[in-house]
Amino acid sequence: MDIKLENVSYKYPSLSNDSWESIRELNCMFETGKWLSVIGQTGSGKSTLMKLLKGLIAPTAGRLLINGQENKLSKKGNAQIIQEVGLVFQYPEHQLFETTVLKDLAFGPKNQGVKKEEINDRTKVIIELVGLSEAYFDKAPFELSGGEKRRVAIATVLMMNPEVLILDEPTAGLDPQGSKLILQLVHDWQKAGGGQRTVIFVTHQMNEVAEYSDEVLVMNDGEIVFQENPIALFREHDHELKAFGLDIPDSVKLLKLFEHRFGKRIEVHSLQEEVVLEEVVAYFTKQGDDLL
Amino acid sequence: MLTFDNVSFAYGQQAVLKNISLQIMEGEFLTIIGPNGSGKSTLSKLMNGLIQPYLGQILVDRLDTQSPQNLKEIRQIVGLIFQNPEDQFISTTVFDEVIFGLENIAVEPDKMQSIAEDALKKVGMLSYKDVEPHKLSGGQKQRVAIAAILAMKPKYIVFDESTAMLDPNGQKSIMTLMQHLHDEGFTIIHITHLMEEALKATRVLVLNGGVIVAEGAPVDVFHNSRVIENNELDVPLPLKLKGRLSEAGIVVPKQLVTLEGIVDYIWTSN
Amino acid sequence: MIENVLVGQFVETSSVFHRLDPRSKLISIFCIVIAFFLIDNAAGYLLAGLFVFGCITLSHIPWRIFLKGLKPILFILSFTIVYHILFTKGENLLFHYGILSIYIEGIISGSRLVVRIILLVLITSLLTLTTKPLELAYGFEVLCKPLKKLRFPVEQFSLMLAITLRFIPTIVMELDKIIEAQKARGVNFEDKSLMKKVLSYIPIIVPLLFTSINRAENLANAIDARAYGDGSGRTRYKTLRFETRDYIAMSISLFMVGTFLILKMLGG
């Protein structure tokens, strides 16, 4: 499912500081099957964008096109939930409320009117996907560990079978191991969709952006200032990003330091730490050989 | 000096800390690192008597945390900054928040204003004096929490994952502040699960499964790959780079732990 | 949603009311509320109206803020007046149609009640608009001090009051977030049947309860960690002291009670 924003603005009604989290004249495209990361400082409008894409709020100006069609239901001032979009809020475990994991998983699809057998089938697939097992079905959500709760909460959204999955800082407050598991499960979910599943990943962690992103969308003060592939963005625009209060991934720092010291640019096809390390170390060892 | 002598703690049947013995000297910057559920937060709550050990003894400057009559003094000596910025802001304005602690330890009312203002100045929040908490960012709220502790003139400041819920800029500002406070002579005890943050410490303690599994200077601990792998710690890129280089036969000196340092070293040694 | 919550809607101006001790304000308002309940004739209403008008003018707070405070009770007011007009029987019939008969007495008693409610709301809003919530809580604490002899935990109660006021915006924001999240999970709040409507709020109430309990635990730790103890032996930054203006305010209020008492006796 392609989502396109044309001159979309949203202004919060009657808030005292009116620039906070409002967005102005956004033009962008969320293409089917891609992993898009959204970065920007706190208050730059990321959360507002997420809510617009889910149809929780309607643009105060501009158009939202889904597969080229204007979302008729979600015209000015008349917000209407978009079923094909799944939205995982910050600290999503705070929204779990049922007595068992199984019931919480079934809650979303039930609201959508999905049949019981279908819900049953989905729960089995989804619980495995988030790295848990059917043994968790009868546990109460509040007796799980922090990381497990988070994964169950994400699972409740996956249960609704979205085509587009939006995650708002899904690793916030987790330890490195827990964060890795979340990234991995989102990646697995996307891969299982055969190129039809889109991920929109909002984060403050640049190292997470470097992992899987096809494109990065940079927001500043309610506007989109960049939409580019991560390699070009972080390698060429680090100064601009700094001006927006944003850092670059460690892997890019290494590439830049290397380039600065050795006067040579290493081309990489990915910013994943493993890939960059390999390239850099290969160059160092080769250089050592040359010196011998 | 803060001493743990064979301390064990359990929530119900579940042991959280097992036979912990530990001494924290004045002037240290100690980082306690470990995965979620390793017992880190329990350790911090024991330090100012919020909870009592199940076995063993904790002394804060010779005061036993198990004697109720010591608690007021202990809580003034050991300041605790929590993880959630929202839930430790008790008052309705920044200034009142700092005053709250002063009232608790019975400071004379006419001295309060200048003490509170000095503390707010130290953390750069004086100009927000009359602001209400819901108008502050997470990082700003944490700085107010630090000011509130500083006003009570503590010796030890314990940061219990105080950066975990902040955005990167908020995290950086709190880390910088921690460094300043250490330079000023406060003893800093920092609990975290981020290894990059732990590199700033004078001593690191790795906690897992309720026991201390490693201890020492950050460079020593983090070069011990067994410690890293067995305890689910995330290796920062500089250390990964060093590991790869040494596999390839290039040995970088131990004390170099930044990307800059490593790249520069290779460049100059060629 | 947050902008609709007007608890603790303190408005800063430099009026004499702002400078009054919270205790004298509490005592005065208490007296005046009693005085207003004594009113039972036109002269009394006129005097009370003038008094409230004078006070509001002196507070330098714009009238529209006071009027905004009346909005939520508009329904109660209109209900009161309609009820009285329809159901009060009297001697002077004004209008008769079928079973409907309206008496002049009904109109008068309805209007009187409405005027009294309006005056009471206005005068009590004057208290909350000119006093910071925490000061109010503190004034309350000091006034209730004698209750300590009866083992009533006055300090803790005052802290509780202050924390409640402090956390109202936090909880409202939390509520907003949960509602949005559950909407995203497909909860439909527009269901027609009452039963379904009630059930649709469970996914909101339960998480709110859980996060609030968690919050309360964290707060308790934060308060303990900062040496609050049992609340005794604390000093207070602001010490309350009665000034001449406080004695004047309380005298005026007592005078009002006396006046209305006399008016009532004369009228009766």
Side-chain angles (χ1 to χ4, degrees), chain A residues 91 172-174, chain B residues 83 142 161-166 171 193-194 197:
Chain A
Y91 298 98
L174 296 182
Chain B
Q83 180 180 24
Q142 287 303 58
E161 296 197 48
S162 314
T163 59
M165 291 179 82
L166 306 181
Q171 279 174 354
H193 51 233
L194 295 176
E197 290 190 347

Side-chain angles (χ1 to χ4, degrees), chain A residues 170-188:
Chain A
T171 63
L174 296 182
D175 64 9
Q177 211 61 32
S179 302
K180 254 184 221 154
L181 283 170
I182 301 286
L183 267 133
Q184 189 60 48
L185 87 84
V186 174
H187 181 67
D188 290 345

